Amino acid sequence: METTSRAEPQDSTDGPGASGGETVPQGVPGARRALEGYLMAGFPWYGLDEAFTGPRWLMQVGVAADGAVEHGSVGHGDEPSLRGELEDDEQRFAVVVTVASRPVRRSPDGTGLLEATSVSSAAWLAGSGLLSCTWPAQMERALRQDWLDQQTAIAWELADDMNGGTWTVLSLPVDGVPTDFHYRESEYGWVLAGAAQHDVHIGAYGRGMSAYGLGFAVVKDIESYAE
């Protein structure tokens, strides 16, 4: 997907989870800087439904070359940290990824075509998102990129084969309607992806929080995630 990210800086700046978004003015509150990207979207955001009563927080949005918001993520539970304040098995979080449904279209500069978005797009973003917050922080710096490249390639292959044996079907409510998702678990956590209403696809990933029993709903007030 040909997008760049607008994100709030992460706890660590030397790992895969570090943000690479555009420069923002100094002195602007971080939550407000992140929120602006979400408010620019031409589609609704999805998060966990009202059954979840824990902390909610913004992550980042992906922006196309023409400035259109293509996708973004919102978090629930403990914000994943790469600094080691929490052990992996103590982190409890679920992140919901919303991807705008887009057909095959010309690139903004007119020189090529952009692929259509799909459930596989949501699965890829969710899989790579899980990697970004669960990579081995204790690994030597020289080996981190090799590890990330290898795992990212695997995540892409899995997302490109949604009907493969590594995925199972999990039915969860979306806006109160039972919806089938592609679901898989790994040593790093779980990933799922499926379609929703409003011309969007939903991806999600998490660790320490079971995917079973979760529900998704349109976020009524995205600003509440920035509080």
Side-chain angles (χ1 to χ4, degrees), residues 34-58:
L35 178 61
E36 289 175 355
Y38 291 85
L39 295 176
M40 291 169 55
F43 54 88
W45 296 104
Y46 271 85
L48 296 186
D49 61 21
E50 295 179 355
F52 177 78
T53 59
R56 298 172 183 252
W57 29 275
L58 299 178

Side-chain angles (χ1 to χ4, degrees), residues 3 6 15 28 34 46 74-75 98-99 101 116-117 120 122-123 126 153 156 183 195 199 211-212 215:
T3 58
R6 292 179 178 173
V28 179
Y46 271 85
V74 294
T98 306
V99 184
S101 179
T117 59
S120 290
W156 174 252
Y183 174 80
D199 291 325
Y212 294 85

